[in-house]
Amino acid sequence: MEETKNTSVIVADIQFRPGQKVYYFDPRGELYKKGEGVIVETARGVEYGVIITENKEVEDITIRIQGKIVYTTIIYKKGTKADTAKNIAAKTLEKY
């Protein structure tokens, strides 16, 4: 039987819309604070998200069990004021 090695990784929790699912992302060594806007790579392309939980360490096995992938989803950069304004404008248009 193959032995599994539990390793831990650093992740940041990000949410794209209030009340929706929270995803783990690889912060690539940067420190992010709760409430900061960030630009991330997702399966749908580059998107704007908000940090829900600051950087934390989780066991790699936990990520696989929950179906969350850390190594292919990265945070590109902190969101600027322009990024935040653009996101707010886009969400306003979605309501109509």
Side-chain angles (χ1 to χ4, degrees), residues 1-15:
M1 180 174 226
E2 189 176 321
E3 195 174 312
T4 55
K5 180 181 175 187
N6 288 347
T7 58
S8 60
V9 293
I10 303 295
V11 298
D13 291 350
I14 295 179
Q15 195 171 46

Side-chain angles (χ1 to χ4, degrees), residues 21-32:
K21 188 174 180 179
V22 176
Y23 298 89
Y24 288 155
F25 280 78
D26 180 358
R28 299 190 310 167
E30 292 288 326
L31 180 62
Y32 294 97

Side-chain angles (χ1 to χ4, degrees), residues 67-83:
K68 297 177 183 177
I69 302 169
V70 173
Y71 302 108
T72 59
T73 52
I74 61 170
I75 300 174
Y76 280 128
K77 66 174 186 150
K78 291 183 181 181
T80 62
K81 289 182 182 180
D83 293 326

Side-chain angles (χ1 to χ4, degrees), residues 8 24 51-52 57 77 91:
S8 60
Y24 288 155
I51 300 290
I52 300 301
E57 190 172 347
K77 66 174 186 150
K91 289 192 188 296

Side-chain angles (χ1 to χ4, degrees), residues 45-58:
V46 177
E47 295 190 57
Y48 180 92
V50 177
I51 300 290
I52 300 301
T53 306
E54 297 177 3
N55 295 21
K56 65 181 181 180
E57 190 172 347
V58 295

